[in-house]
Every structure is written in structure tokens, then in C-alpha cells.
Amino acid sequence: MAKRVTLFEPPPLDESKAPIENVLELTPVVDIGPDVFTNTRPLWHPPGARGIFGGAAIAQSLSAAMRTVPTDFAVHSMHCYFVLAGDSEIPILYHVERVRDGRSFITRTVQARQRGRPIFTTTLSFSRANSGGKKRLEHATPKPSLADPAEGTRGSLEDSRGPFETHRAGTVNRDSPNPEDKRVRRFARARGRISEAGGHQAHLSALAYITDSYFIGTVARVQNIPRFSSPAELRRALQALKNPSDLDDEDIARAIKELKEEEAADLRRRLEGALSQATNQPKEDRKEVGMMVSLDHSIYFHNPWAFRADEWMLMEMESPWAGEGRGLAIQKIWSRDGTLIATCTQEVRLRFHSLSRTLRFGLLPARKRPLTLVRVFLGSGAIKTGRACSCEDLAVTGLDLFPFLFFFPFSLFTIF
């Protein structure tokens, strides 16, 4: 008997809705309580991550809370804590608590639970539309002057089949020696067109889902920490770029073939630069991410009615501080017309380990003891990264596998 990963049998996909609406759909669990909901469809577990994609818990908790407030109220702040890794093989129950219902503000808390234990908790505040009064103080950071990606432009490979798509928009102060001066930019939007029936709530849930993508890697990106576990992995990526037919995943091969010559040259230049840096840097000075997880995530929704999540939104990410094994990232998001629609903060837990414990992937001499066959999934396809692996120290832990499994699927087009 197949293991059920949702509480109820998932219904067929609703073709009248955007993919992200289907992904985030909730089902009421009236037998447990009036304000209890569960995920209608299976949740995504990113390759190499400790649990489900955090954006799903954020967005579905928001969606559950919005079902308990009047439609003339909209969320203006949401403060989340990731307590335990979510298991994609077990249904999630979202319990909404109605903390306060006021004339201008409403407060809700939501706990996401598995096996009776909270894995995620959030407190949300909603404000009534046009409750700010006639006289208001107003200011906002202007949107950087960047043109939207051209229609038909292929986005990142890792989201080629996902519910949203993204496109790199460069890094401000890329060559600065100060990580806190760098700004990483990216365009994002939900795929398809969000249905009119979904209302502004569907756009808010989609935005909440998207805010957790790429955000966690900001601290590492501004520090120029490579996304490959060793120079050997960079060499393999370069070889794959030169000979895309060698790749197992058809989507990746087709996307690389479709790249313009200058895009391929730029990617090759950056990979070769990273290879040179990783090769020439003193071994004791190199950093390699052993673990990176989100501790908390906050979203301030500035203009909840002033955007469409299925139109290009510009995200700008920076990291003003890192230390004590943690790093802080800040993200601003603008709508297509230049309205600042949200500001997000996220604190991540970072751990590094020495390169002497790095796993080496690929074909190994017979005397090396093979440990495992590693296959990293991208969308519904798989990239064969090696037939066997070994390490200099056979005391292998789960953290040894994490950096390679987590970073490789996102590396070819999002490195640095």
C-alpha cells in the first residue's frame, strides 16, 4: 500500500488556476476544529535540504490565517520561526489561533504541526484597508532602474518546472572587498496567471512563497563563498558546459544549447575565475559551507493590494551582518510599476567544515571504498554526479553530503 503524504486524496489540478495556486491549496479539517487546515497536495523537499521548502510553510500559514479574517483586511506583517525540519512524507496540520479582532487590526498565530509537534510557527497582523487616516507620512526606497526580462527569456534552470520563475539581475558592488556593500538582484514572478477567484489573497500567498527562494544564500553570496564543494566539481561543471550532451538531464542540455554565445562565455569566465580562486587560495583560508538553515523569516507587506505576483517583481538582497555562526539578510521587493511592496529579513545558521573532510565525487580507484551513488534531482529530472564517492576520513556525517547536494542544483546559473 502506497504511503499517503496528504491527509486526503488530492483532487485533479485546477487548470483555471496558476500552478502556484494549486501548489499552495489548503483543505479544511473540520473534524479537528473550525480553524484547522492541511496541505491539499504533496510538498516539495529541495535536493539536499533538511526538510520541505520553507516558503511552502510560510505561504500556507498565511493562507490559513487569511481564511479567518474579513476580506477588507490585509496582512501587513508576518514573523516566522522554523522550529523543526518539515517531512514531505507526512501531512501538515495548520492550527490558526484567533488572538485578537479589533476595528483596525487583527492578530493571528499559526502553528504548523507534524506528529503533534510544531515544526513552524508564525504571528501575523492584519490591518483594515484605508485605515491610515487622511493625513499620512509616506516615503519609500525607489526601485532601481532596471528593465524587466524580455518575454520568452529562459530563466534559471532550477525553476524551469516550478510554480514560479526567476531571472538574474546582477550584483551591485560585486568587486567590493566589503560584503555588506553588495546587493544581489533578481527578478521573480509566479508562472501563468493567478485566477481572479483567488483575489489579492492568492497574490499575497504567492509572494510569501517566493520570498524564501534564494534568500538563504545571500550571506554566502556576498562573501563569495563558492557553491562547489571542491575544485574538482568546478572542473566537472566546466566540462559539462563545453559538452552539454554529456549531461543526463535533457532540460539542462537543451537550456545550455539555447544560451546565447555571450551568455555562455560570461558563465565560463565566472566559473573559471571561481576555479582559479578555489585552486590558488591557501587551503587553511578556504571556507566550505557544512550547514545553512533558516532560523527565522519576517515579511513586512507595505502595499498588499498594489501588485500582481504573476508580473515581474524585482528582489534586492543584502547582508549587513554575519557572526557567531549566524548571518542576517535583508530583502526589498518592488512591483512592476516600481512600488515597494515588501521588505523581508531572515537570519540563517551557518556552519563550515574543513576541506580535508570534503567528499570527492566521481570515478575513484578500486582501492577507494565506494560509499554511495549520488543523484541530485532538478525538477523531475536527475543529474548523475558520480558513480561512487569517498572521503579522506571515513567518519562521514550527514553534514558532509549537505553542501554538495544543496548547492549543485542551483550552481550553473546562480553561482555568485
Side-chain angles (χ1 to χ4, degrees), residues 339-350:
T339 302
L340 181 65
I341 56 176
T343 300
C344 311
T345 62
Q346 187 175 90
E347 191 173 38
V348 299
R349 179 78 167 103
L350 290 162

Side-chain angles (χ1 to χ4, degrees), residues 72-144:
D72 60 338
F73 279 76
V75 63
H76 70 85
S77 68
M78 181 177 188
H79 304 282
C80 315
Y81 288 91
F82 299 95
V83 182
L84 295 170
D87 189 342
S88 61
E89 300 296 316
I90 301 174
I92 295 179
L93 290 177
Y94 295 95
H95 295 254
V96 181
E97 181 181 355
R98 303 184 184 223
V99 179
R100 179 180 182 271
D101 289 74
R103 292 183 179 180
S104 299
F105 292 91
I106 289 176
T107 306
R108 296 287 184 265
T109 62
V110 181
Q111 270 198 3
R113 301 177 188 172
Q114 287 184 325
R115 296 192 181 97
R117 302 172 64 191
I119 63 169
F120 174 89
T121 182
T122 179
T123 299
L124 309 95
S125 183
F126 297 79
S127 62
R128 187 188 296 274
N130 302 316
S131 61
K134 294 181 179 180
K135 294 183 178 180
R136 308 177 186 179
L137 289 175
E138 293 185 347
H139 66 267
T141 302
K143 178 183 178 182

Side-chain angles (χ1 to χ4, degrees), residues 75-310:
V75 63
H76 70 85
S77 68
M78 181 177 188
H79 304 282
C80 315
Y81 288 91
F82 299 95
V83 182
L84 295 170
D87 189 342
S88 61
E89 300 296 316
I90 301 174
I92 295 179
L93 290 177
Y94 295 95
H95 295 254
V96 181
E97 181 181 355
R98 303 184 184 223
V99 179
R100 179 180 182 271
D101 289 74
R103 292 183 179 180
S104 299
F105 292 91
I106 289 176
T107 306
R108 296 287 184 265
T109 62
V110 181
Q111 270 198 3
R113 301 177 188 172
Q114 287 184 325
R115 296 192 181 97
R117 302 172 64 191
I119 63 169
F120 174 89
T121 182
T122 179
T123 299
L124 309 95
S125 183
F126 297 79
S127 62
R128 187 188 296 274
N130 302 316
S131 61
K134 294 181 179 180
K135 294 183 178 180
R136 308 177 186 179
L137 289 175
E138 293 185 347
H139 66 267
T141 302
K143 178 183 178 182
S145 181
L146 293 173
D148 289 346
E151 290 301 323
T153 302
R154 178 176 289 273
S156 295
L157 293 179
E158 67 271 19
D159 53 38
S160 61
R161 294 181 180 178
F164 67 93
E165 56 185 322
T166 69
H167 197 281
R168 289 186 297 110
T171 300
V172 179
N173 300 323
R174 177 191 293 273
D175 298 325
S176 172
N178 304 315
E180 63 273 16
D181 293 338
K182 299 180 183 181
R183 306 287 186 272
V184 181
R185 292 172 175 172
R186 201 169 195 95
F187 285 99
R189 68 178 178 185
R191 290 189 180 278
R193 185 169 181 82
I194 293 176
S195 66
E196 295 300 323
H200 76 278
Q201 293 93 339
H203 292 274
L204 287 167
S205 294
L207 174 61
Y209 186 89
I210 293 172
T211 61
D212 199 39
S213 65
Y214 303 100
F215 201 13
I216 189 174
T218 302
V219 178
R221 289 189 190 100
V222 300
Q223 287 276 359
N224 289 335
I225 297 176
R227 292 190 167 201
F228 293 91
S229 60
S230 70
E233 294 308 325
L234 281 168
R235 292 191 184 96
R236 267 188 280 278
L238 284 171
Q239 185 65 26
L241 179 64
K242 295 173 184 176
N243 300 288
S245 60
D246 292 340
L247 294 175
D248 292 330
D249 190 275
E250 294 180 0
D251 288 335
I252 295 179
R254 182 170 59 254
I256 292 178
K257 289 178 181 178
E258 291 175 355
L259 284 175
K260 296 179 181 178
E261 188 62 33
E262 60 268 23
E263 290 175 330
D266 177 67
L267 177 59
R268 188 177 294 111
R269 176 187 59 79
R270 289 187 286 113
L271 285 171
E272 288 173 343
L275 173 60
S276 175
Q277 179 183 5
T279 303
N280 298 328
Q281 188 178 16
K283 187 172 182 178
E284 61 273 14
D285 294 337
R286 300 180 202 167
K287 291 185 176 68
E288 180 184 323
V289 176
M291 182 184 74
M292 183 162 55
V293 295
S294 301
L295 296 175
D296 55 62
H297 185 106
S298 293
I299 310 174
Y300 297 91
F301 300 87
H302 307 311
N303 290 278
W305 281 283
F307 74 99
R308 292 190 63 90
D310 51 14

